[in-house]
């Protein structure tokens, strides 16, 4: 019994390893992915620096310094969406699914590679943003500042995973990115119209951009789960 | 192919994909139904918003030191000092004649201000500048006309304005007043109190005998921002005159003064979800052709590649404009009636302004659709194109709303990015004689409506130019 479990675990681990290698190779060799990461870093640092330069006496210097996330999340979402829907638009998905047995493994490998790549790009970008905000009185050594920057990296990773899950559900890149960007950008705008305080608080709690880490994990996890289930049940 | 056949080909393509026509219909529905989210919650206010003689909402609150004037008369006073706790530029101290005590009554006043020199104002909307350095003020009533004068030394007088207050009763209250609107600080305001030193007023004409009576007017109207902490309204007489402290304002009310009030432009908030749907559809009309290789057939069938793009743009713009116009023309009157019926105060806007907001919003949808088509042609990838357009047409508005961003940045974003086009949705009026939080969140845009739309069109023309050049140069 135990040996059977162990051997099936070894098999899955082996498959996962090759799937990870395949996905890493795709991510490395697709020119779009590298560009998107460059755009993400530029967006985070650029907007953060612009906002800090325009601010005089900020109430919340940390939020100002990290405001580049508003822009950076868009290109992160594109990367997440293209990781899946890019394969659908070229038909590569059939090869991928035929080559690696176990469709959840394919999606899991994509998710792992995406998360690592996004974290690797976002962390230095946010560090630079915080360093650049020295002028408005932000110190990197502050525990809360560092925690906020770490939280922002986690946020971007979860947004990338959310986009990946949505793309696996929708399959079309335009519809997927429209859904993700709507989810990210619309709630704060629409909240200005909502006068009911309960509804407003609810909106703030469930909208990814203002939600706590738990709700955000639920969003990304839910999207990935739905994507996995659909990928298993659909033909391609 | 002739232009008409080209148009028909693109029209047929557009109709034949169910998701596209459906998407535009969904966008229209979003505009139509979206205001429903604003219905919840309580918008009750303690007292009704005062309405001025011209039908506009007004702030009508000030500290009034008054006596009765039964007939013609004149009052002259020296304002020896005016200071407010926070230094509000529109702090006011001077002379006033009011038609009645009910909020929104007609008045004429001449005043010294904190930072805008001597002014003569009447009936809330009207403001005329006088001398910058005068310290003596005089108000003269003859029937229903009031003349305001000012002087540097109390001897040589210069007239600022003569105004008529139709229907002014014979007996009116008149005297000294001090007002001080809230000080604008970033995207918020702080209550302020102004204190003025008056000399002893010199009276001439039909003034009733009696004492001067001091009281805060309009303390319970919605527009009254309150006093600065620790400095309430007061009135003390001394040997050489009066010291009067007061707060409030005599001016047209803005969104900042009536936060529970709605503006017709608010009802178009569904534009944002609609924009995202339209952007997705518009991008797909070109990127789908690239994805399936249909673009080769389209380009070889059409004589000129530029005309193919023009035909696509025409169909897209036509469809989105028509759908958007139907949605806005129905939505605004319908929801206005509905929310007025619920007792929510709505800032009045003339029919022409509402029509401009309706047609303008449909135009914004159509122009953004063409912008998305152009960007889609340039980058040829759906996800990149949709993101580029959403990031340039929706994100700047979101950033302008974010309260922690510096206000100059919000102004910049709504002036120079494609979001400037949303200025067509402004239905509230910006008054030069009122300092308030004039931000997009409150419904005020930095550019005039058509100038804002022109900015959006400028970006679209640039993108369209680039797209047609690339379409001609590239293989496909």
């Amino acid at each position: 019994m135990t040996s059977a479990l162990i051997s099936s675990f070894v098999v899955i681990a082996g498959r996962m390893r090759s799937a990870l290698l395949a996905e890493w190779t795709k991510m490395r060799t697709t020119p779009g992915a590298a560009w998107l990461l460059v755009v993400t870093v530029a967006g985070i640092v650029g907007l953060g620096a612009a906002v800090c330069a325009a601010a005089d006496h900020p109430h919340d210097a940390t939020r100002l310094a990290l405001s580049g996330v508003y822009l950076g999340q868009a290109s992160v979402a594109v990367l997440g969406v293209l990781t899946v829907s890019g394969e659908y638009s070229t038909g590569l998905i059939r090869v991928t699914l035929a080559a690696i047995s176990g469709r959840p493994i394919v999606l899991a490998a994509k998710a792992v590679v995406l998360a690592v790549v996004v974290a690797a790009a976002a962390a230095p970008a946010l560090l630079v943003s915080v360093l650049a905000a020295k002028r408005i009185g932000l110190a990197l050594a502050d525990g809360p500042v560092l925690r906020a920057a770490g939280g922002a990296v986690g946020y971007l990773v979860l947004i990338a995973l959310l986009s990946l899950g949505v793309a696996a559900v929708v399959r079309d890149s335009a519809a997927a990115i429209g859904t993700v960007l709507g989810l990210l950008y619309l709630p704060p705008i629409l909240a200005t119209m909502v006068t009911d305080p309960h509804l407003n608080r609810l909106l703030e709690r469930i909208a990814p951009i203002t939600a706590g880490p738990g709700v955000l994990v639920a969003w990304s996890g839910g999207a990935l789960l739905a994507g996995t289930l659909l990928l298993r049940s659909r033909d391609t | 192919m002739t232009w008409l056949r080209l148009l028909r080909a693109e029209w047929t393509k557009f109709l034949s994909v169910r998701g596209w026509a459906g998407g535009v219909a969904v966008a229209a529905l979003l505009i139509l139904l979206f205001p429903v989210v604003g219905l919840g919650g309580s918008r009750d206010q303690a007292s009704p918003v005062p309405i001025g003689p011209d039908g506009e909402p007004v702030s009508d609150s000030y500290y009034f030191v008054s006596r009765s004037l039964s007939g013609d008369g004149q009052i002259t006073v020296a304002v020896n000092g005016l200071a407010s706790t926070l230094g509000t530029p529109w702090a006011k101290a001077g002379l006033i004649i009011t038609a009645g005590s009910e909020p929104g009554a007609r008045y004429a006043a001449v005043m010294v201000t904190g930072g805008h020199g001597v002014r003569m104002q009447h009936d809330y909307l009207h403001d005329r500048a006088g001398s910058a350095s005068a310290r003596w003020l005089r108000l003269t009533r003859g029937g229903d006309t009031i003349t305001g004068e000012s002087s540097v030394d109390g001897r040589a007088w210069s007239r600022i304005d003569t105004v008529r207050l139709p229907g002014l009763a014979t007996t009116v209250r008149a005297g000294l007043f001090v007002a001080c609107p809230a000080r604008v600080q970033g995207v918020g305001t702080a209550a302020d109190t102004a204190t003025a030193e008056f000399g002893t007023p010199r009276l001439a004409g039909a003034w009733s005998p009696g004492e001067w009576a001091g009281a805060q007017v309009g303390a319970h109207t919605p527009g009254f921002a309150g006093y600065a902490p620790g400095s309430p309204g007061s009135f003390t007489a001394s040997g050489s005159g009066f010291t009067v402290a007061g707060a409030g304002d005599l001016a047209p009310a803005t969104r900042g003064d009536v936060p529970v009030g709605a503006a017709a432009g608010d009802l178009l908030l569904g534009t944002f979800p609609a924009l995202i749907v339209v952007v997705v559809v518009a991008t797909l009309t070109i990127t789908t052709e690239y994805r399936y290789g249909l673009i080769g057939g389209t380009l070889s069938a059409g004589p000129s590649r530029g005309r193919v793009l023009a035909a696509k743009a025409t169909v897209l713009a036509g469809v989105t404009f028509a759908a958007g116009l139907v949605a806005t023309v129905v939505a605004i009157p319908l929801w206005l009636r509905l929310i007025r019926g619920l007792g929510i105060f709505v800032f009045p806007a003339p029919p022409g302004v509402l029509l401009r907001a309706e047609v303008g919003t449909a135009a914004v949808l159509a122009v953004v659709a063409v912008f998305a088509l152009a960007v889609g042609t340039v980058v040829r990838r759906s996800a990149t194109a949709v993101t580029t357009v959403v990031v340039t047409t929706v994100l700047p508005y979101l950033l302008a709303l974010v309260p922690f961003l510096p206000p100059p940045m919000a102004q910049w974003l709504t002036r120079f990015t494609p979001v400037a086009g949303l200025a067509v949705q402004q239905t509230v009026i910006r008054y030069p004689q009122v300092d308030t939080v004039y931000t997009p969140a409150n419904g005020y845009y930095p550019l005039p409506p058509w100038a804002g739309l022109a900015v959006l069109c400028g970006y679209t023309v640039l993108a369209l130019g680039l797209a047609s050049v690339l379409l001609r140069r590239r293989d496909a």
Side-chain angles (χ1 to χ4, degrees):
Chain A
M1 183 65 197
T2 344
S3 63
L5 257 179
I6 289 173
S7 67
S8 68
F9 177 77
V10 168
V11 169
I12 289 176
R15 278 192 210 150
M16 187 70 191
R17 234 182 92 187
S18 54
L20 279 175
L21 198 65
E23 291 306 328
W24 170 238
T25 310
K26 277 184 222 161
M27 182 71 84
R28 207 160 40 83
T29 52
T30 323
W35 272 114
L36 281 170
L37 289 172
V38 170
V39 168
T40 305
V41 172
I44 292 174
V45 175
L47 182 60
V51 168
C52 287
D56 264 340
H57 302 290
H59 295 295
D60 193 344
T62 314
R63 284 180 76 179
L64 279 182
L66 301 180
S67 54
V69 169
Y70 278 96
L71 187 55
Q73 62 181 348
S75 43
V76 160
V78 176
L79 186 63
V81 164
L82 284 183
T83 308
V84 171
S85 67
E87 293 208 17
Y88 276 99
S89 62
T90 54
L92 181 66
I93 189 77
R94 293 194 199 98
V95 182
T96 306
L97 295 180
I100 296 162
S101 54
R103 293 185 171 190
I105 287 180
V106 173
L107 214 56
K110 281 185 184 299
V112 170
V113 170
L114 180 68
V116 169
V117 166
V118 168
L126 286 163
L127 273 184
V128 171
S129 295
V130 171
L131 286 175
K134 208 172 172 182
R135 195 187 68 82
I136 54 168
L138 213 60
L140 185 59
D142 277 0
V145 176
L146 216 52
R147 234 189 340 271
V153 175
Y155 171 79
L156 288 173
V157 168
L158 286 170
I159 293 303
L161 295 179
L162 169 68
S163 316
L164 181 103
V166 170
V169 172
V170 183
R171 288 181 289 185
D172 177 76
S173 14
I177 195 69
T179 309
V180 173
L181 293 181
L183 206 56
L184 294 180
Y185 288 147
L186 289 181
I189 295 179
L190 304 188
T192 57
M193 176 89 181
V194 178
T195 43
D196 183 15
H198 300 290
L199 195 60
N200 226 327
R201 223 168 300 133
L202 182 73
L203 196 63
E204 194 169 293
R205 236 177 260 152
I206 61 168
I209 206 165
T210 43
V215 177
L216 202 56
V217 168
W219 271 110
S220 308
L224 282 176
L225 186 67
T228 312
L229 292 178
L230 281 172
L231 192 64
R232 278 180 71 168
S233 62
R234 279 193 302 225
D235 191 14
T236 43
Chain B
M1 248 201 299
T2 64
W3 170 246
L4 272 181
R5 289 187 62 186
L6 206 56
L7 270 186
R8 240 188 89 192
E10 291 304 330
W11 171 244
T12 311
K13 273 189 228 168
F14 187 86
L15 281 191
S16 59
V17 183
R18 207 187 306 157
W20 296 355
V24 173
V26 165
L29 271 180
L30 282 169
I31 291 178
L32 194 58
L33 299 179
F34 200 80
V36 76
V37 302
L39 287 186
S42 125
R43 290 206 187 212
D44 291 343
Q45 46 202 33
S47 51
V49 180
I51 300 298
D54 297 294
E56 75 294 339
V58 297
S59 300
D60 185 9
S61 49
Y62 52 98
Y63 200 92
F64 193 18
V65 179
S66 65
R67 280 173 68 166
S68 280
L69 173 64
S70 307
D72 295 349
Q74 189 181 65
I75 177 169
T76 309
V77 79
V79 182
N80 297 321
L82 169 66
S84 75
T85 316
L86 300 175
T88 303
W90 280 109
K92 298 166 181 175
L95 302 170
I96 187 169
I97 292 179
T98 63
S101 57
E102 69 281 3
R106 288 183 184 275
Y107 73 94
V110 60
M111 68 206 73
V112 172
T113 62
H116 296 278
V118 171
R119 321 288 293 199
M120 172 140 187
Q121 299 184 342
H122 73 283
D123 289 355
Y124 308 94
L125 294 178
H126 310 281
D127 171 47
R128 176 165 292 190
S131 142
S133 55
R135 281 294 170 266
W136 285 78
L137 306 173
R138 173 179 285 169
L139 220 45
T140 310
R141 176 192 180 185
D144 59 2
T145 53
I146 318 278
T147 302
E149 293 165 285
S150 69
S151 163
V152 176
D153 50 10
R155 283 188 290 273
W157 290 90
S158 62
R159 192 179 66 89
I160 306 170
D161 203 1
T162 299
V163 302
R164 232 188 114 234
L165 303 183
L168 195 64
T170 311
T171 301
V172 296
R173 297 294 290 184
L176 312 173
F177 83 100
V178 172
C180 187
R183 178 90 158 115
V184 177
Q185 294 176 328
V187 290
T189 55
D192 196 8
T193 305
T195 308
E197 307 284 343
F198 291 99
T200 306
R202 292 207 306 259
L203 304 180
W207 293 83
S208 309
E211 287 295 299
W212 290 101
Q216 176 71 41
V217 172
H220 301 291
T221 54
F224 183 58
Y227 302 106
S231 10
S234 65
F235 149 61
T236 45
S238 64
S240 59
F242 297 119
T243 302
V244 182
D249 203 6
L250 281 146
T254 61
R255 288 303 292 283
D257 301 316
V258 193
V260 287
D266 295 355
L267 300 172
L268 292 170
L269 210 65
T271 308
F272 290 98
L275 266 183
I276 292 189
V277 176
V278 163
V279 167
V280 169
V281 170
T283 309
L284 282 174
T285 58
I286 183 75
T287 53
T288 307
E289 294 224 11
Y290 279 105
R291 188 175 148 190
Y292 293 109
L294 183 64
I295 188 79
T298 307
L299 293 183
S300 53
S304 129
R305 294 185 171 190
R307 282 174 66 185
V308 171
L309 194 65
K312 276 188 186 297
T314 308
V315 168
L316 259 179
V319 170
T320 43
F321 183 80
L325 192 62
V326 169
T328 54
V329 163
V330 174
I332 286 206
L334 187 77
W335 285 100
L336 274 182
R337 274 191 73 161
L338 218 87
I339 62 173
R340 283 207 180 107
L342 288 172
I344 295 171
F345 176 76
V346 183
F347 277 78
V353 169
L354 293 182
L355 188 66
R356 182 253 293 152
E358 291 159 4
V359 176
T361 301
V364 165
L365 284 179
V367 176
V368 169
V370 175
F371 184 47
L373 170 75
V375 173
T377 312
V378 172
V379 302
R380 291 183 284 188
R381 299 283 293 268
S382 314
T384 325
V386 169
T387 309
T388 308
V389 179
V390 170
V391 161
T392 47
T393 57
V394 177
L395 179 61
Y397 185 82
L398 166 61
L399 289 176
L401 282 187
V402 172
F404 62 80
L405 281 196
M409 199 159 171
Q411 298 291 316
W412 189 90
L413 285 169
T414 37
R415 194 184 278 268
F416 294 112
T417 69
V419 165
L422 289 169
V424 295
Q425 296 188 341
Q426 179 171 329
T427 57
V428 282
I429 305 164
R430 183 190 284 258
Y431 296 98
Q433 75 271 33
V434 182
D435 280 346
T436 186
V437 187
Y438 289 120
T439 58
N442 275 342
Y444 300 94
Y445 292 85
L447 288 180
W450 299 117
L453 191 61
V455 171
L456 174 62
C457 289
Y459 280 100
T460 306
V461 167
L462 277 182
L464 215 49
L466 183 63
S468 71
V469 167
L470 285 177
L471 196 62
R472 254 177 251 145
R473 285 233 186 113
R474 286 190 304 218
D475 195 17

